[in-house]
Amino acid sequence: MRRLNRRKTLSLVKELDAFPKVPESYVETSASGGTVYQDTWMKYEYEVDKDFSSKLRINIDITVAMKCQYVGADVLDLAETMVASADGLVYEPAIFDLSPQQREWQRMLQLIQSRLQEEHSLQDVIFKSAFKSASTALPPREDDSSQPPDACRIRGHLYVNKVAGNFHITVGKAIPHPRGHAHLAALVNHDSYNFSHRIDHLSFGELVPGIINPLDGTEKIALDHNQMFQYFITVVPTKLHTYKISADTHQFAVTERERVINHAAGSHGVSGIFMKYDLSSLMVTVTEEHMPFWQFFVRLCGIVGGIFSTTGMLHGIGKFIVEIIYCRFRLGAYKPVNSVPFEDGHTDNHVPLLENNTH
């Protein structure tokens, strides 16, 4: 079982081909054994997003190093609308430390994330391999640990308004009140604050297997009880159309910040994990396109013609070199005859045309 999961981990990296020499497009071979080749590439189109009435889905899978009864998660948008966590999020007791197999999976995911930052063309490969790649979800523990749960895994999804908002996880359960909302943090011992966390998955829009998002695999360790982690996210609506999938999803860019809350030093705030998101007014349509058959045929004729032209040039050059060498050998076969002296002291330098071999 462990070897099988290891193979799945390695297959994810092989599907992405995460190496520096990744081209902008790749070649697909047909089932007939590679007799026909077809280039595909991703076309990006931009337009104003006019959809303001629909809801935005947030997919969440975050593990916090605190017990579930001590933490609460909810969303508050600019319209002062609070989305209760009970609507779509599940709190599960968990062990914060990963098993060896899970740690290896996380290391692979972080390696792919670093490659994505260096090679932007890898994103096209990820789009094309959606629904075909191995799942990016954290695998279950393979060991039967007797360690009691010391963390809380918060996972599920929420539907929010398509306006800027703030998803946060902090101490105490959230309760609504006329001026917004509050968290019951007074009953939690301050020494038990620990907002070390791991983001196994965070995405917006339709959930698409095989797509790796910027914060997947992120792990942060709190060095102080009063630590605040902030993620500033810009969400871009994206329509994805490939030969494997058509989906309405969202891409996003993120900026991270963390600091220790110290009111005496002027660092104010609340301990916890805060994800402030805002939506872009532009929508991106990503479409996978391929070369038309007539263009492929013209290129094929050009390649074949180029091969014949190059072969003819090489044949001409080779023939010219052979003729030069052959002529040199022929000229070397006719050596001049020694001069014949006359009685008056002159010499005959002419070569006789015919030689009489009769005696």
Side-chain angles (χ1 to χ4, degrees), residues 110-175:
Q110 291 173 346
L111 175 61
I112 295 172
Q113 292 283 20
S114 64
R115 290 296 189 185
L116 282 171
Q117 295 177 2
E118 298 173 1
E119 298 290 340
H120 298 290
S121 59
L122 269 177
Q123 187 63 53
D124 289 353
V125 180
I126 293 177
F127 282 150
K128 294 174 185 178
S129 61
F131 277 147
K132 186 176 69 175
S133 303
S135 174
T136 57
L138 183 73
R141 301 185 70 93
E142 77 281 4
D143 57 346
D144 297 329
S145 178
S146 58
Q147 179 182 349
D150 59 350
C152 184
R153 182 182 181 184
I154 305 173
R155 63 183 183 89
H157 62 273
L158 297 171
Y159 287 96
V160 299
N161 298 322
K162 291 189 69 174
V163 295
N166 180 2
F167 170 77
H168 52 271
I169 302 173
T170 188
V171 178
K173 301 300 180 181
I175 56 171

Side-chain angles (χ1 to χ4, degrees), residues 269-323:
V270 179
S271 303
I273 305 165
F274 297 85
M275 298 181 176
K276 299 181 179 182
Y277 60 89
D278 194 4
L279 277 82
S280 172
S281 59
L282 291 179
M283 180 178 65
V284 182
T285 302
V286 185
T287 307
E288 184 178 6
E289 295 188 345
H290 65 89
M291 185 188 304
F293 178 76
W294 65 267
Q295 188 175 358
F296 168 76
F297 184 74
V298 170
R299 287 192 178 186
L300 181 62
C301 293
I303 293 173
V304 174
I307 293 175
F308 276 101
S309 298
T310 305
T311 304
M313 291 175 58
L314 294 176
H315 179 266
I317 294 173
K319 182 179 179 181
F320 177 72
I321 294 174
V322 170
E323 287 181 351

Side-chain angles (χ1 to χ4, degrees), residues 47-73:
E47 59 180 308
V48 176
D49 185 15
K50 301 177 182 178
D51 182 12
F52 301 104
S53 59
S54 63
K55 295 289 186 177
L56 174 65
R57 172 170 170 156
I58 306 178
N59 307 296
I60 301 163
D61 190 352
I62 301 175
T63 302
V64 185
M66 292 180 66
K67 293 185 177 181
C68 292
Q69 61 264 31
Y70 296 154
V71 294

Side-chain angles (χ1 to χ4, degrees), residues 6-298:
R6 180 183 178 87
R7 289 178 180 175
K8 289 183 178 179
T9 305
L10 297 177
S11 68
L12 174 62
V13 181
K14 291 180 180 178
E15 285 285 347
L16 294 175
D17 196 19
F19 293 96
K21 296 180 180 180
V22 176
E24 292 295 331
S25 61
Y26 69 101
V27 176
E28 288 185 351
T29 58
S30 66
S32 58
T35 57
V36 178
Y37 293 85
Q38 185 180 66
D39 266 341
T40 62
W41 59 87
M42 306 307 293
K43 180 181 178 181
Y44 291 81
E45 297 176 309
Y46 303 89
E47 59 180 308
V48 176
D49 185 15
K50 301 177 182 178
D51 182 12
F52 301 104
S53 59
S54 63
K55 295 289 186 177
L56 174 65
R57 172 170 170 156
I58 306 178
N59 307 296
I60 301 163
D61 190 352
I62 301 175
T63 302
V64 185
M66 292 180 66
K67 293 185 177 181
C68 292
Q69 61 264 31
Y70 296 154
V71 294
D74 63 301
V75 177
L76 188 67
D77 60 27
L78 290 182
E80 298 296 327
T81 302
M82 190 185 84
V83 180
S85 61
D87 290 344
L89 295 182
V90 178
Y91 294 74
E92 295 179 356
I95 299 175
F96 187 76
D97 291 333
L98 296 175
S99 65
Q101 175 189 329
Q102 291 176 327
R103 184 64 65 182
E104 181 182 5
W105 183 266
Q106 184 191 45
R107 185 167 55 250
M108 289 290 182
L109 196 57
Q110 291 173 346
L111 175 61
I112 295 172
Q113 292 283 20
S114 64
R115 290 296 189 185
L116 282 171
Q117 295 177 2
E118 298 173 1
E119 298 290 340
H120 298 290
S121 59
L122 269 177
Q123 187 63 53
D124 289 353
V125 180
I126 293 177
F127 282 150
K128 294 174 185 178
S129 61
F131 277 147
K132 186 176 69 175
S133 303
S135 174
T136 57
L138 183 73
R141 301 185 70 93
E142 77 281 4
D143 57 346
D144 297 329
S145 178
S146 58
Q147 179 182 349
D150 59 350
C152 184
R153 182 182 181 184
I154 305 173
R155 63 183 183 89
H157 62 273
L158 297 171
Y159 287 96
V160 299
N161 298 322
K162 291 189 69 174
V163 295
N166 180 2
F167 170 77
H168 52 271
I169 302 173
T170 188
V171 178
K173 301 300 180 181
I175 56 171
H177 75 73
R179 294 188 178 181
H181 78 297
H183 287 261
L184 294 175
L187 302 178
V188 181
N189 187 2
H190 185 270
D191 293 335
S192 64
Y193 287 15
N194 183 3
F195 284 100
S196 300
H197 62 280
R198 182 177 61 254
I199 304 175
D200 297 321
H201 180 79
L202 179 70
S203 66
F204 297 83
E206 184 178 346
L207 189 61
V208 182
I211 298 295
I212 298 178
N213 298 278
L215 287 177
D216 293 355
T218 300
E219 183 174 282
K220 299 290 184 180
I221 302 299
L223 304 178
D224 193 277
H225 294 296
N226 291 328
Q227 192 117 359
M228 172 189 282
F229 296 92
Q230 293 176 302
Y231 299 91
F232 301 93
I233 300 172
T234 301
V235 183
V236 181
T238 304
K239 291 186 176 181
L240 180 62
H241 303 288
T242 70
Y243 294 114
K244 304 291 189 303
I245 179 181
S246 292
D248 291 335
T249 182
H250 291 70
Q251 302 179 83
F252 66 89
V254 60
T255 301
E256 304 175 17
R257 183 187 177 192
E258 58 183 83
R259 59 187 175 93
V260 176
I261 303 301
N262 188 343
H263 298 289
S267 178
H268 303 292
V270 179
S271 303
I273 305 165
F274 297 85
M275 298 181 176
K276 299 181 179 182
Y277 60 89
D278 194 4
L279 277 82
S280 172
S281 59
L282 291 179
M283 180 178 65
V284 182
T285 302
V286 185
T287 307
E288 184 178 6
E289 295 188 345
H290 65 89
M291 185 188 304
F293 178 76
W294 65 267
Q295 188 175 358
F296 168 76
F297 184 74
V298 170

